[in-house]
């Protein structure tokens, strides 16, 4: 996958680098309540070193061509993340995960980003099936795969640990290459 992916004149995706750990931590720390409502990792992110561990892991996965995580940039300023997870190249499928700063919600940014990355995964990486899992109740996140023609397959019961002995059900959406417009 490319180092930089242009979405439009203002939005691009860029590979994470070590220095991004502080920015990621600052978003999590200043938007803890907002991001933490739906992202379980927020409760385990207490210091910059926690975000650094995540960034280091994503860089290693990229080096071995396993998974790719990008920072979403608006005019070169990081505003969120998107990436593949648990990519299975033998069976040609992957999952997308994403989050966006509260300040940039409601502008269609994530929809455009997911649409572009979906097309690249199908066209450039030979992926056949992309999955997106959204917590039941996370309507903003659920709207994205619905808007982009992903099919709701079902519910992954207790699919995500939310902490404090609480599990959440996840809605599983998928899209096949044959269902894309490319």
């Amino acid at each position: 996958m490319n180092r930089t992916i242009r979405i439009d004149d203002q939005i691009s995706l860029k590979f994470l680098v070590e220095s991004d750990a502080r920015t990621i931590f600052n978003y999590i720390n200043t938007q803890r309540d907002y991001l933490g409502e739906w992202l379980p990792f927020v409760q385990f992110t207490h210091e910059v070193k926690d975000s650094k561990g995540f960034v280091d892991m994503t860089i290693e996965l990229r080096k071995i061509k396993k998974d790719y995580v990008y920072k979403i940039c608006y005019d070169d300023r990081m505003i969120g993340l998107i990436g593949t997870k648990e990519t299975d190249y033998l069976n040609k499928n992957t999952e997308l995960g994403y989050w966006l700063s509260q300040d940039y919600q409601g502008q269609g940014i994530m929809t455009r980003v997911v649409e572009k990355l979906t097309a690249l995964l199908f066209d450039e990486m030979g992926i056949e099936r992309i999955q997106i899992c959204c917590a039941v109740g996370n309507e903003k996140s659920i709207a994205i795969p619905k808007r982009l023609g992903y099919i709701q397959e079902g519910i992954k019961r207790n699919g995500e640990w939310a902490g404090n002995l609480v599990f959440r059900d996840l809605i599983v959406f998928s899209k096949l290459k044959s269902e894309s417009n490319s």
Side-chain angles (χ1 to χ4, degrees), residues 93-108:
N93 64 68
T94 193
E95 182 175 336
L96 283 180
Y98 47 80
W99 64 264
L100 192 64
S101 168
Q102 185 174 13
D103 300 334
Y104 292 88
Q105 294 285 327
Q107 300 174 41

Side-chain angles (χ1 to χ4, degrees), residues 13 28 34 51 53 87 97 114 120 122-123 127 136 148 174 180:
L13 304 180
I28 291 169
Y34 177 75
S51 294
T87 301
V114 171
L120 288 173
F122 287 148
D123 297 341
I127 296 295
V136 170
L148 295 174
S174 71
S180 73

Side-chain angles (χ1 to χ4, degrees), residues 23-35:
T23 304
I24 293 168
F25 176 76
N26 287 340
Y27 270 121
I28 291 169
N29 204 37
T30 60
Q31 297 181 27
R32 195 166 288 281
D33 290 341
Y34 177 75
L35 294 173

Side-chain angles (χ1 to χ4, degrees), residues 15-22 24 47-69 81:
F15 281 155
L16 286 178
V17 294
E18 285 183 29
S19 60
D20 291 327
R22 180 164 296 284
I24 293 168
E47 301 176 47
V48 174
K49 73 176 184 175
D50 299 324
S51 294
K52 184 180 179 329
F54 168 76
V55 171
D56 290 346
M57 178 190 67
T58 66
I59 290 170
E60 287 305 311
L61 289 171
R62 182 175 71 226
K63 283 179 183 175
I64 63 170
K65 299 181 177 171
K66 172 69 176 150
D67 282 313
Y68 298 89
V69 177
L81 298 178

Side-chain angles (χ1 to χ4, degrees), residues 145-166:
K146 282 184 172 181
R147 199 176 291 126
L148 295 174
Y150 278 70
I151 305 298
Q152 182 175 331
E153 293 184 341
I155 302 291
K156 189 174 183 181
R157 297 177 307 140
N158 282 0
E160 181 175 76
W161 182 56
N164 299 325
L165 303 177
V166 174

